[in-house]
């Protein structure tokens, strides 16, 4: 019988199916971080249970860490306690921790792939919704809550119901100045912030095939922003070349064996999906969001919808959102002044993102009215940026290169955007208060963010390249 | 935290806003705790208080409106989207709600709610409107949620809708079982699986 990529991986991981209920589903890799794990470890202690398979668990500190002076003790008391608690828990339960100061430390969804821990065919979970990022390697990867973190620590399994399956095909060639971030923001703007709820999404088509691994991660990362359970892309030579030689990738004979298996991981030609979408790459412009969910976005030449373009029932929420953003219905977004530029987060903080931004800003200077933060996704990205001289390009442009962490993506540390200020951000969420109470976030690609940094206002990057 | 749910009969608090994400339910800066308790006081923190100051409640926010109270939260569609933080379910439960009604729930939130004996009740867009109208007209109206028989009813009009719930999850909620207890009991099967799938 023909199967989809999702079904092939799913079937391999079902330990048992309960009649009329969910399946006991085996998890290959479990990433944990300081914010969503303490209560789970506490639960284990109360039940007097060990971690069932500590070798399958990897920990890092990312959400709460400062991005300057990481060698000093964390100033903020509660953040420090949480990071220390993670350290204690990992030591007590035998879990590998890439904590502050470790050369592998970084945002959980950046380090898994770059260390070769994330491999095709795996099931991967983390107490973090952007776990969908790892689907770029042909894995079933999804975010879970803390009770589920506890379940996986205790048994390496979860109770899971099989989701419906959707395939999104993006065919054709991308226009100049259009990147992976624009593809995914475009898709979400078309199907809305809840358009894929209940589905596992496979991205396919020539435009996806032509993307680098970093770009594929950007796309899968934001699957959750349209409600999808997970996003995935079938592994191919791009995937295999990326993984080969990385720290935890299979070596020698194990590599050959793994490769032979990975090559079978694709949807069969006649596999059936519950829903299919077709998107023409040519239709996509550089994107920008204007509202307070990632579905509220438009091409840069577009405008904020006028009231009569919005369904009557949805108007109160729409108006609340624009009110928060300080924007008017029907308004053009291009040309709006920005105050902050944030280049970072698990969506766009990989070395490829930093390289792209550096090659664009080389020889240019930021506008006086903006503050620009570049936050690398990991220690390894930071190191590579130094080796390639990217830090110098940023210094000359007036961009501040900080140390790795989630930073202003969620403003849990000191990196907050002040109330009422506009920030063009390469992260994944423009929710109210996400980057700090009252902060106004506009999501865009790294190049759109860099263009705004140079001009001080929302700019069509195509005019500068 | 209350374990097991069957019938909840109570007045309700309506929040008509759509796409309420978990960052609104509990902002990130309150996620620094290492226990599950005490999140209720920061539920909807930035919508509830001026400049985050808990001495200055925003009058127009339903949680601050004295006419509304009860164990049932009724919210606009796509409730609980965004971050997977279970703290959102903890905050709602800790505040005193046992049921959340909406016309659409985000996946992860729904799982988190069920794992905390907070019942997500999915109704049609039309019935959600009926609920909003009923509570707006008469904030003292009782809403009855019957998990065993899977229906929700507006007491004064008798308007009723049935709702779906997975039979396994229903049994867990009615009997106060956790997934984790079941999974732990499955360890022999899990080890057998590991042997054949090494
Ligand atoms: S960078 Fe942002 S979205 Fe990614 S894991 Fe950190 S907080 Fe979550």
């Amino acid at each position: 019988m023909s199967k989809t990529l999702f079904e092939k991986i799913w079937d391999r991981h079902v330990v048992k199916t309960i009649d009329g209920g969910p399946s006991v589903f085996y998890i290959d890799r479990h990433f944990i971080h300081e914010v969503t794990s303490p209560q789970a470890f506490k639960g284990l202690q109360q039940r007097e249970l060990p971690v069932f398979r500590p070798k399958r668990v990897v920990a890092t500190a990312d959400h709460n860490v400062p991005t300057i002076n990481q060698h000093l003790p964390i100033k903020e008391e509660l953040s420090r306690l949480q990071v220390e608690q993670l350290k204690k828990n990992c030591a007590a339960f035998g879990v590998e921790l890439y904590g502050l100061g470790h050369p592998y430390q970084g945002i959980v969804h950046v380090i898994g792939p770059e260390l070769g821990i994330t491999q095709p065919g795996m099931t991967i979970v983390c107490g973090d919704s952007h776990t969908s990022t790892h689907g770029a390697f042909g894995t079933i990867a999804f975010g879970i809550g803390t009770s589920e973190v506890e379940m996986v620590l205790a048994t390496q399994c979860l109770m899971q119901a099989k989701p419906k399956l959707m395939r999104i095909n993006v065919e054709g060639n991308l226009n100049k100045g259009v990147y992976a971030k624009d593809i995914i923001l475009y898709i979400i703007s078309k199907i809305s912030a809840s358009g894929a709820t209940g589905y596992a999404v496979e991205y396919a088509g020539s435009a996806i095939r032509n993307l680098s691994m970093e770009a594929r991660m950007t796309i899968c990362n934001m699957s959750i922003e349209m409600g999808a359970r997970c996003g995935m892309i079938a592994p191919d030579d791009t995937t295999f070349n990326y993984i080969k030689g990385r720290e935890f990738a299979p070596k020698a004979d194990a590599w050959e064996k793994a490769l032979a298996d990975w090559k079978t991981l694709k949807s069969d030609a006649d596999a059936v999906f519950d829903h299919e979408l077709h998107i023409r790459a040519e239709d996509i412009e550089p994107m920008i969001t204007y509202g307070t969910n990632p579905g509220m976005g438009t091409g840069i030449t577009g405008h904020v919808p006028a009231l009569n373009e919005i369904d009557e029932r949805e108007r109160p929420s729409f108006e609340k959102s624009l009110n928060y953003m300080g924007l008017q219905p029907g308004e053009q977004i291009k040309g709006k002044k920005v105050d902050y530029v944030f280049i970072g987060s698990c969506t766009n903080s990989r070395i490829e993102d930093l390289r792209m931004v550096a090659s664009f800003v080389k020889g240019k200077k930021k506008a006086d009215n903006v503050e620009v933060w570049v936050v690398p996704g990991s220690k390894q990205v930071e190191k590579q940026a130094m080796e390639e001289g990217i830090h110098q390009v940023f210094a000359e442009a007036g961009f501040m290169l900080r140390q790795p962490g989630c930073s202003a993506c969620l403003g849990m540390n000191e990196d907050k955007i002040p109330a009422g200020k506009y920030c063009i951000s390469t992260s994944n969420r423009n929710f109210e208060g996400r980057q700090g109470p009252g902060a106004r976030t506009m999501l865009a690609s790294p190049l759109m963010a860099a263009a705004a940094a140079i001009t001080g206002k929302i700019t069509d990057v195509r005019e500068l390249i | 935290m209350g374990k097991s749910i069957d019938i909840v009969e109570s007045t309700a608090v309506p929040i008509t806003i759509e796409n309420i994400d978990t960052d609104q339910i509990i902002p990130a800066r309150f996620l620094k705790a290492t226990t599950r308790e005490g999140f209720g006081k920061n539920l909807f923190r930035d919508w509830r208080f001026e400049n985050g100051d808990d001495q200055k409640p925003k009058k127009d926010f339903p949680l601050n409106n004295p006419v509304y109270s009860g164990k049932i939260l009724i919210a606009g569609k796509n409730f609980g989207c965004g971050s997977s933080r279970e703290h959102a379910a903890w905050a709602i439960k800790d505040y005193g709600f046992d049921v959340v009604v909406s016309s659409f729930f985000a996946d992860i939130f729904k799982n988190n709610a069920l794992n905390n004996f907070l019942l997500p009740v999915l109704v049609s867009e039309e019935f959600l409107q009926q609920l909003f109208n009923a509570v707006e007209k008469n904030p003292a109206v009782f809403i009855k949620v019957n998990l065993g028989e899977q229906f929700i009813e507006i007491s004064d009009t008798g308007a009723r809708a049935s709702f779906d719930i997975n039979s396994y999850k229903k049994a867990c909620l009615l009997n106060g079982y956790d997934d984790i207890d079941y999974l732990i009991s499955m360890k022999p099967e899990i080890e057998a699986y590991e042997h054949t799938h090494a």
Side-chain angles (χ1 to χ4, degrees):
Chain A
M1 211 187 82
S2 61
K3 282 185 182 179
T4 64
L5 168 62
F6 181 91
E7 288 166 321
K8 287 181 184 178
I9 303 173
W10 174 272
D11 290 349
R12 288 179 181 189
H13 289 86
V14 172
V15 176
K16 182 186 172 169
T17 301
I18 299 173
D19 280 342
S23 297
V24 177
F25 190 64
Y26 194 82
I27 303 302
D28 294 317
R29 287 289 175 279
H30 184 193
F31 294 104
I32 59 173
H33 62 78
E34 76 277 19
V35 178
T36 56
S37 67
Q39 294 87 351
F41 280 112
K42 195 160 278 176
L44 287 190
Q45 270 157 351
Q46 278 160 359
R47 291 171 194 269
E48 299 182 3
L49 285 173
V51 169
F52 184 57
R53 295 289 178 251
K55 294 248 169 322
R56 293 186 180 272
V57 190
V58 176
T60 191
D62 53 5
H63 282 64
N64 233 330
V65 301
T67 55
I68 40 174
N69 292 326
Q70 282 185 347
H71 62 288
L72 298 177
I74 301 178
K75 272 194 234 139
E76 220 265 333
E77 170 82 2
L78 288 173
S79 300
R80 187 173 53 75
L81 287 176
Q82 212 172 40
V83 172
E84 278 171 7
Q85 189 63 48
L86 180 70
K87 213 166 158 180
K88 278 189 217 153
N89 286 334
C90 288
F93 287 88
V95 170
E96 184 81 59
L97 168 65
Y98 302 137
L100 267 190
H102 194 286
Y104 294 165
Q105 181 265 339
I107 304 174
V108 60
H109 311 307
V110 175
I111 69 169
E114 84 183 356
L115 290 170
I117 299 172
T118 301
Q119 296 166 20
M122 284 181 168
T123 51
I124 299 179
V125 296
C126 174
D128 191 286
S129 55
H130 294 98
T131 310
S132 59
T133 312
H134 305 263
F137 291 78
T139 69
I140 296 181
F142 53 93
I144 56 178
T146 297
S147 294
E148 293 171 313
V149 171
E150 186 179 336
M151 292 173 210
V152 182
L153 289 175
T155 68
Q156 209 55 43
C157 285
L158 279 175
M159 303 300 291
Q160 278 295 301
K162 196 171 161 185
K164 291 180 287 181
L165 305 178
M166 183 190 299
R167 181 160 60 189
I168 301 181
N169 305 282
V170 188
E171 299 286 355
N173 295 315
L174 291 173
N175 294 316
K176 182 179 114 179
V178 174
Y179 303 90
K181 183 64 161 285
D182 302 303
I183 301 178
I184 190 66
L185 284 173
Y186 179 83
I187 294 172
I188 304 170
S189 76
K190 290 287 166 211
I191 73 171
S192 93
S194 60
T197 302
Y199 287 93
V201 174
E202 180 178 340
Y203 302 94
S206 58
I208 301 290
R209 292 259 76 86
N210 289 336
L211 295 175
S212 68
M213 280 321 292
E214 285 87 348
R216 293 179 189 185
M217 284 187 254
T218 299
I219 297 214
C220 288
N221 174 273
M222 290 193 70
S223 306
I224 183 70
E225 306 311 335
M226 49 189 178
R229 191 78 182 118
C230 62
M232 65 201 315
I233 295 172
D236 58 11
D237 286 340
T238 305
T239 324
F240 310 142
N241 292 336
Y242 178 97
I243 299 171
K244 194 164 187 182
R246 287 185 188 263
E247 179 78 31
F248 296 103
K251 307 271 152 55
D253 284 356
W255 170 261
E256 294 305 327
K257 202 170 148 232
L259 198 60
D261 177 48
W262 294 349
K263 287 185 174 163
T264 67
L265 295 175
K266 50 178 172 238
S267 291
D268 296 328
D270 50 353
V272 183
F273 290 80
D274 299 294
H275 191 63
E276 286 217 54
L277 262 178
H278 296 275
I279 286 175
R280 287 164 22 119
E282 290 79 11
D283 292 345
I284 308 174
E285 281 194 303
M287 296 288 295
I288 184 88
T289 65
Y290 54 82
T292 54
N293 73 57
M296 300 175 82
T298 168
I300 182 66
T301 59
H303 57 82
V304 179
L307 272 186
N308 61 17
E309 293 172 271
I310 299 290
D311 187 271
E312 201 166 330
R313 261 207 317 233
E314 288 172 7
R315 269 181 218 166
S317 294
F318 175 75
E319 287 181 304
K320 177 178 188 300
S321 177
L322 288 197
N323 190 27
Y324 179 87
M325 290 298 294
L327 295 172
Q328 300 301 319
E331 189 177 7
Q332 253 236 309
I333 305 159
K334 193 176 142 185
K336 278 263 155 207
K337 210 171 123 276
V338 298
D339 308 294
Y340 285 80
V341 177
F342 174 62
I343 297 171
S345 91
C346 57
T347 317
N348 284 119
S349 65
R350 298 182 177 80
I351 189 66
E352 187 186 64
D353 300 307
L354 268 50
R355 275 186 199 133
M356 200 175 1
V357 170
S359 78
F360 170 75
V361 300
K362 199 171 168 99
K364 301 188 178 78
K365 277 221 174 334
K366 76 166 184 74
D368 289 338
N369 62 304
V370 289
E371 188 157 333
V372 186
W373 298 340
V374 184
V375 182
S378 70
K379 283 309 260 189
Q380 299 213 78
V381 171
E382 181 187 40
K383 183 164 160 254
Q384 202 161 345
M386 302 282 186
E387 283 167 10
E388 295 179 18
I390 288 174
H391 63 306
Q392 242 133 26
V393 175
F394 288 158
E396 281 157 23
F399 287 24
M400 183 179 192
L401 181 65
R402 300 172 77 99
Q403 290 172 303
C406 293
S407 180
C409 173
L410 90 166
M412 238 185 126
N413 66 355
E414 311 59 29
D415 307 350
K416 293 182 177 62
I417 308 301
K421 298 289 182 193
Y422 288 95
C423 177
I424 181 165
S425 174
T426 69
S427 56
N428 42 47
R429 288 189 172 139
N430 49 356
F431 298 154
E432 284 187 33
R434 172 79 179 182
Q435 299 195 286
R440 291 162 163 170
T441 303
M442 299 172 126
L443 303 175
S445 77
L447 270 207
M448 282 287 284
I454 302 304
T455 61
K457 52 190 194 218
I458 301 293
T459 302
D460 187 341
V461 65
R462 292 172 295 187
E463 292 164 9
L464 300 182
I465 51 178
Chain B
M1 215 159 268
K3 273 205 168 184
S4 93
I5 290 190
D6 186 6
I7 296 171
V8 179
E9 204 166 1
S10 157
T11 50
V13 180
I15 303 183
T16 54
I17 301 161
E18 295 176 351
N19 295 311
I20 296 179
D21 60 81
T22 52
D23 272 80
Q24 309 316 314
I25 299 172
I26 182 89
R29 61 187 190 280
F30 301 112
L31 307 186
K32 299 185 185 196
T34 52
T35 63
R36 290 173 181 244
E37 289 78 38
F39 288 98
K41 63 176 187 292
N42 295 319
L43 175 66
F44 290 113
R45 180 78 188 206
D46 294 334
W47 285 355
R48 236 164 109 191
F49 303 111
E50 295 291 350
N51 305 318
D53 179 350
D54 59 8
Q55 301 306 309
K56 292 189 199 148
K58 292 186 183 173
K59 285 204 183 59
D60 54 354
F61 190 64
L63 287 189
N64 296 327
N65 187 337
V67 305
Y68 298 124
S69 65
K71 294 183 180 163
I72 300 173
L73 176 65
I74 308 173
K77 76 160 179 254
N78 199 23
F79 186 79
C81 57
S83 159
S84 60
R85 58 188 71 164
E86 193 165 317
H87 312 66
W90 298 338
I92 295 171
K93 187 83 184 178
D94 188 54
Y95 185 87
F97 293 113
D98 286 328
V99 175
V100 190
V101 186
S102 182
S103 58
F104 206 98
F105 288 101
D107 260 354
I108 306 180
F109 175 80
K110 193 164 78 186
N111 279 338
N112 287 341
L114 288 166
N115 283 329
N116 288 281
F117 296 89
L118 172 67
L119 178 64
V121 172
L122 183 70
V123 296
S124 67
E125 199 59 51
E126 288 68 36
F127 195 77
L128 186 71
Q129 282 311 320
Q130 279 189 45
L131 284 168
F132 279 140
N133 294 341
V135 175
E136 199 172 301
K137 214 171 82 206
N138 175 16
V141 68
F142 265 65
I143 309 293
K144 180 170 178 176
V145 175
N146 185 321
L147 172 61
E149 295 180 27
Q150 293 180 222
F151 70 81
I152 172 168
E153 186 180 274
I154 306 172
S155 312
D156 58 356
T157 61
R160 196 189 254 217
S162 60
F163 61 88
D164 278 340
I165 182 164
N166 176 289
S167 56
Y168 164 83
K169 273 291 167 197
K170 179 175 165 181
C172 287
L173 290 177
L174 287 172
N175 299 308
Y177 294 154
D178 280 337
D179 278 358
I180 190 161
D181 298 327
Y182 177 75
L183 285 170
I184 290 167
S185 76
M186 286 291 297
K187 270 194 186 170
E189 279 95 331
I190 296 170
E191 279 169 346
Y193 167 89
E194 286 178 324
H195 279 297
T196 51
H197 289 76

